[in-house]
Amino acid sequence: MIRLHRPAPRPRPDTIVALIDVVFFLLVFFMLVGRMDATAPFEVRPPVAGVGEPLPGGGLTVSLGQAGQLALDGRPIASREALLAALRPRAGGGDPPKVRINAHASVPLRELLPLVTALEGIGLTSVVLVVTPTPP
Amino acid sequence: MRLRRSRRTGLVITMTPMVDALLILLVFFMVTSTYLDLDMIPMVERGAAPTGHTLPAPDTAAPRTPEAGTLLVRLGPDGRTVVRGQPLTEAALAAALTARVAANPATRVVILPSGQANAQALVSTLEIAARAGVTDVRVVRLESRP
């Protein structure tokens, strides 16, 4: 009986290295393009404005939903008083943190403006409203 | 005498687990990141004059003269803007503000929004003012006295 041996396939390191290159490239690309912001547990569609300044990174994110729901850095907060109580210890120091308000476009101003006033009232000196230049 | 170290068997590094880990990281970052382009509008700034989202109580002693160069824009519950009792469309408001800025570059715009108006209406009004060249925009809020 004749046994035919197939020649062993040659390892091809080149192709897998090219694959790793592509995957690395994609990985770095998505890490640079995306933002790792805390997302609110409810829908927040920021208002559209073409004149905003670039949003700086860092700081605290206060989300304000359409029905007045509040969240701090992605965690839901029951009331404005609870939010202020959570922020007050951090606002007391010499360098209060930046706060960005991520408000839904259709939230009534009777929810938004008192919130801004209250944040200013506990000593926060940098509060910004998040907008988007492109409608989603 | 020459001692020979026993030759190591060739270390085989498999690439497949590494590629697996990379792909998992890739998918993780693609899924968890948000790709919405975000900007910001400052609401409270350090060093700015007290923004006073509450109108100061009117002085009873001396009648306040309206500050020169200040324009009050009211924002209605439906998002319409009213200047001096005249409802204005967006284009008319932009034209009016541009004319005011041309006459007085230090024009200050004070926006008095209704609590029923939504955030988009306020942001749109701020945008109109900014595009008209107004550099000092304030938002005030009426607050009942305790």
Side-chain angles (χ1 to χ4, degrees):
Chain A
M1 181 177 167
I2 303 175
R3 194 177 265 178
L4 290 177
H5 276 283
R6 218 175 255 189
R10 281 209 172 163
R12 295 211 185 143
D14 292 349
T15 54
I16 199 137
V17 169
L19 175 67
I20 292 173
D21 285 351
V22 170
V23 171
F24 253 123
F25 178 79
L26 286 174
L27 185 61
V28 172
F29 173 77
F30 281 108
M31 283 175 69
L32 290 181
V33 167
R35 305 178 66 100
M36 299 286 289
D37 287 343
T39 40
F42 40 82
E43 190 202 355
V44 173
R45 209 177 58 239
V48 179
V51 293
E53 301 166 33
L55 180 68
L60 303 168
T61 304
V62 174
S63 301
L64 181 59
Q66 193 171 5
Q69 316 98 304
L70 286 167
L72 175 62
D73 281 341
R75 289 187 308 278
I77 298 262
S79 66
R80 190 184 301 154
E81 287 69 32
L83 174 72
L84 295 178
L87 287 177
R88 201 168 276 124
R90 303 198 222 182
D95 189 20
K98 295 179 198 166
V99 175
R100 64 174 81 156
I101 300 181
N102 205 357
H104 195 282
S106 59
V107 70
L109 292 176
R110 63 168 181 273
E111 305 277 351
L112 175 63
L113 292 183
L115 176 65
V116 175
T117 312
L119 291 178
E120 190 181 9
I122 63 171
L124 294 167
T125 51
S126 169
V127 180
V128 301
L129 179 68
V130 174
V131 296
T132 176
T134 49
Chain B
M1 194 173 127
R2 194 182 255 181
L3 288 177
R4 293 190 80 175
R5 213 176 261 185
S6 66
R7 253 184 108 176
R8 283 190 189 172
T9 54
L11 191 62
V12 179
I13 303 177
T14 53
M15 290 286 190
T16 318
M18 182 181 168
V19 177
D20 288 350
L22 279 181
L23 278 177
I24 286 177
L25 282 177
L26 179 63
V27 172
F28 173 78
F29 279 108
M30 284 174 67
V31 170
T32 55
S33 305
T34 52
Y35 299 100
L36 194 59
D37 194 8
L38 295 180
D39 281 349
M40 63 100 175
I41 291 178
M43 302 288 278
V44 177
E45 279 180 305
R46 186 199 299 270
T51 43
H53 296 280
T54 316
L55 277 179
D59 272 336
T60 49
R64 284 161 60 90
T65 52
E67 286 181 64
T70 299
L71 188 66
L72 180 73
V73 177
R74 298 180 69 108
L75 186 60
D78 51 358
R80 295 218 189 133
T81 49
V82 178
V83 177
R84 291 185 179 145
Q86 301 283 324
L88 294 181
T89 61
E90 291 191 1
L93 177 65
L97 290 180
T98 309
R100 283 292 293 253
V101 171
N104 177 10
T107 296
R108 168 187 292 181
V109 170
V110 175
I111 301 176
L112 175 59
S114 157
Q116 313 287 325
N118 60 26
Q120 180 63 63
L122 177 64
V123 166
S124 300
T125 310
L126 291 174
E127 180 172 9
I128 291 171
R131 286 198 192 283
V134 181
T135 53
D136 188 354
V137 183
R138 275 144 203 268
V139 179
V140 294
R141 183 167 67 85
L142 290 175
E143 201 170 61
S144 58
R145 276 194 169 176

